[in-house]
Every structure is written in structure tokens, then in C-alpha cells.
Amino acid sequence: MDNMMINFYSVSKKYGLTTAVKDVSFQIPSGGIIGLVGSNGSGKSTLLKLTAGLLTKSAGEIVVCGETVTRLIAKKVAFLAEVDSLYDFYTVRETLSFSKRVFPDFDEQKAVEIVEVLEVDLHKKIGALSKGNRARVKIAIALSRKVPLLIMDEPLSGLDPLVREDIIKMIAKYVEMENQTLIISTHEVSEVEPLLDHVLLVQNGEIILSEKVEDLREKKGQSVLDAMKEVLR
Amino acid sequence: MSWLALYIKELRLGKTKFLLNMIFLLMVAVLFYVLIERYNPFFIALTIPLIILHFFYMFFAMLDALRQEWKHNTAVFWMNIPKSGWQLLTAKYVAVMTQLFVSLSLTFIIIYILLKRSAVHFTDPIIPNFLIEQYQAYGWILFVGVFIASLQTGVVSTFIYMVAKSVRKWGWLLGTGIMVASSWIWFKFQETAIYRGLTEWGVVLEEETLMNSFFVHFDSIAGEPTMDMDVTNDAILYVGTAVVDLLLVVGVLYVCAWLLDKKVEA
């Protein structure tokens, strides 16, 4: 249990009368990239926000990095939201400087390097950037936090193929696999599959598959997509 | 340092609305100036609502500062900042308080200038001069009083918003209900000997002194009708009351910060 990054014990989450997550229990070990896959509305975002302490559970217990989750788990968890969540009045440079000052674990040099590689204008205001460039800056900030757990909620959603490709390359290049665990939620399974070490399939607020991607390939001869199809059939 | 970064960010977040507020104040000042100069010096009375509006400044400004985080989806980023809720909320609160200070100061300066200008137009300068003297002597008490009252309304809206973001469906109602009930309990507590013991120290102003200043002034004008004002309540204004009020503000903010760390949802 000690080397587990994330522990969910009978966790449920309700929004009023609607149950988004039903009595879910699972563990995720430290290290590697974990894909949280499932259709829209299956409960992926809720699970990720619960893990990051951005939602409160209705029942059960969540332990991340050995700590019971509250919002203050943010010192160990970087959360990247699906929506545009940066302050649009800051320039890109100011956003990185602000991040440096509020995130003690932030590597500004790395962030500037990522942003420059992606050719995003440092002097442009966030509000004036294209959607793709805003996504690139968001990813650069998340990847520049030296935290044990990175959470990315639908980082590819609504972006054109070039931006998606950039993001996948950045993840592959900049996630520190020895020290960090990345959970990435998506319904674009085939695009992220080469990155994944482990896959969790969510449906109707329940985890219906939890497998190492290597096991799927070697023992069952399946891709993640094949496994999804089989389980959902 | 990180608190300062958060504080500066909050100032920038509210910059546009604050500038609009300043422009509005200056436009109103010009309008009142024209009305006083061209029509009637009694238009000076129209400046009173400007002070009254500041009672609610913090209430609406805090509400807006918090609402913007959720409206623009920045709440997920803001809440993922690994600083205590106390730091996140006080940065917001102090930024709004800074704006209140500037806005209220400007309002008081505008009123003073208009008061001076209106005095010129009265046929009998006794009353306007008396008002100017009183304003110079006790204006700062009014300033501090409005400022503290506004700070209190600020924590009320912060608390209601925090509860609303903690309890999904009926949060607004619950937060408002808790605030109404707490205020009632606080008013009842103000009638107790314990409250008096805590607050009745450091006399700032006695009603009798204030009333005497009225009497002396009018009575000293030879040949003018005198005006006699009696002390009705023997009311005394204490520093202790202000300190307890401020401690209450800090206490409620602390509860809000706890809610942000433990209960609020992005």
C-alpha cells in the first residue's frame, strides 16, 4: 500500500440526486502514465477532481501520496483542467512568473523552454492567444510543476490535430517518469495509447476495467481500444 | 512573497471595474459641482448617498471577485494553488479593501471640496462653516466607521459565497440563513455585560462633547438665535468596539478560509 500513489476506498460522489461516482475502490501505483478512459459523462472528470481535492466526496475515503485529500493536496498534485483556466489579463511571460511565485515546485526555466519550443509568443496576453496556444501554455505550466502527481483532464479535447500532436510530444518529453505519475483522461484513446502504462475504464461512475497496457498487449493481444470495445459490448 | 503575488493578481483582476468606479465618482463630483455652482448649494446633500453606497462596497466587490473565478473557469487554477485558504482569501479581501480605501478617500475629498464650494453660495455662511468644522473634526470617525462596516459586509458575502460553493443546491439560502441567525445572536450578545466589558475602552468620542460643540458654536454668535441640543443617550464611541468588530471580521474570514480548504468545490 505504501507505494500507492492513489487510493480510493468505496468513494461515491453525488450531485444532488444524481450519482456521478458509485462506490469506487481502486489503487494506482507510483510512476508511469495512467489513462482514464470512458465516454462523455462517464465520471472521468469527477474522479480526477476528487483526486485533486477540487470536489468533495459524498462517501468513502481518498488518499493521495499518503494524505487524506483536501484542497491542500495541491502541494503534491498539479491539476490541468479541460477548460481555459488561466487569467486572461496576464501575458504568457507574466503567467509563468506568477506561477513561479505561487507554486513553490515550479520550474520556470523549463516552462519558458517548453513555451519557446512551441513558438508561443511570451509577450501576448493569454486572452489574445488562440485556443491551441492557450492549451499549450496550460500544459507547459502543468508539466513544469515538480510534483509527484500530474492530473490532466481531457488535455486533447476540442483541439486541432497539430496541437494534439504537440501536446502528446510534450507529455512524452517532459513528464519525469522516475519521479512523477501522470493521469490523463481522454476519449481519444488511440492517440494517447502509445504513452500509457496503465488504463482505467470508467462507465456510469464505476471503474469497469483496470489493467496494465503491457498485459493487455502481451497476454490478451489487445489494444486499449480493443479492450474497451470488449468490455463495453 | 507568494501572498504578494496573489494580492497583485487580485488587484489586476478587479482593475477594470475599479477604474470604472473611479470614473463614476469623478463624473458625479463634476455633476454635483455644476449643480452647486449653477443652481443651489443645497445640492451638497446629494453627496450623502455616495457615503452610504460604500457601506456595501466590500459586499459586492468580494462577491464579484469570487464570482469571477468561477465565471471565467479560473477557480480550478486558483484552488490548485498550494497555499492555505487563508492566504488565497486574504489576498482577495485585502485587494478589495485597498480599492475601498481609495474609493472612500476620494469620496471624502470630493465631499470636502464640494462643501467648501457650496459654502461660498450660502447667504449666511454660519451653517456651511459649521458643517465644514464638524467635517474636519469628526470626518475621520465617519470614515473609519463606514470602512469597518463595509469590511463586515465583505465577510458576509464571502461567507455566503463559500457556503454556496460548498453545498450545491441550497448553499445560497443556507449561507444567508446562517448569516442572518449569526447576526441576530451577535446583536443579542451586544446587549450583554461581557460585550460591554470587551468593548468599552479607549474613548474616541462622547455624545455630550459632540452636542456641546453644537451648542457653543451657535450660542457664541451674538444676536443670533441659539440652538440647544440635549444629550439623549450619553452614547460613547470606543476604540474597543472597532477592535472587536475587526476581530469578528478576522474570525469570519478564518471560517471562510477553512471552508475553502475543506468544503468548497471548483
Side-chain angles (χ1 to χ4, degrees), chain B residues 47-222:
Chain B
T47 56
I48 294 167
L50 287 181
I51 296 177
I52 294 170
L53 279 177
H54 282 86
F55 274 109
F56 306 102
Y57 190 102
M58 287 288 289
F59 184 93
F60 290 108
M62 272 308 286
L63 208 57
D64 185 60
L66 289 164
R67 194 185 63 97
Q68 281 199 60
E69 299 283 3
W70 270 265
K71 187 184 169 196
H72 299 300
N73 296 318
T74 52
V76 278
F77 185 85
W78 184 60
M79 286 182 65
N80 192 231
I81 292 173
K83 301 290 169 194
S84 65
W86 175 255
Q87 288 194 61
L88 295 183
L89 274 186
T90 53
K92 240 181 222 306
Y93 193 81
V94 176
V96 172
M97 193 172 83
T98 308
Q99 293 171 347
L100 167 69
F101 183 82
V102 175
S103 179
L104 194 58
S105 300
L106 181 65
T107 303
F108 270 68
I109 291 166
I110 288 169
I111 291 173
Y112 184 68
I113 293 168
L114 292 177
L115 209 51
K116 282 276 211 186
R117 284 305 308 164
S118 67
V120 178
H121 299 287
F122 278 95
T123 46
D124 186 347
I126 293 171
I127 291 175
N129 286 338
F130 166 72
L131 286 175
I132 291 167
E133 276 174 29
Q134 295 298 315
Y135 193 79
Q136 285 170 337
Y138 303 115
W140 70 273
I141 297 175
L142 182 62
F143 183 96
V144 172
V146 173
F147 194 77
I148 293 175
S150 195
L151 293 186
Q152 289 177 318
T153 66
V155 289
V156 168
S157 61
T158 305
F159 179 83
I160 292 171
Y161 203 89
M162 289 293 104
V163 176
K165 288 296 171 191
S166 303
V167 182
R168 281 205 173 229
K169 209 170 181 183
W170 301 105
W172 288 102
L173 209 57
L174 181 65
T176 308
I178 292 171
M179 266 299 143
V180 170
S182 307
S183 301
W184 183 81
I185 292 167
W186 184 249
F187 285 127
K188 287 286 165 197
F189 178 62
Q190 285 178 326
E191 293 166 5
T192 64
I194 301 169
Y195 178 82
R196 285 197 294 276
L198 286 171
T199 56
E200 292 185 357
W201 53 272
V203 175
V204 177
L205 180 67
E206 292 181 40
E207 191 179 359
E208 194 177 352
T209 313
L210 185 67
M211 292 305 169
N212 283 343
S213 76
F214 289 2
F215 180 77
V216 169
H217 186 95
F218 287 107
D219 198 34
S220 65
I221 310 295

Side-chain angles (χ1 to χ4, degrees), chain A residues 113-125:
Chain A
E113 184 192 318
I114 297 172
V115 167
E116 283 178 347
V117 165
L118 294 170
E119 298 179 344
V120 178
D121 187 349
L122 279 164
H123 305 291
K124 255 194 171 178
K125 286 203 171 182

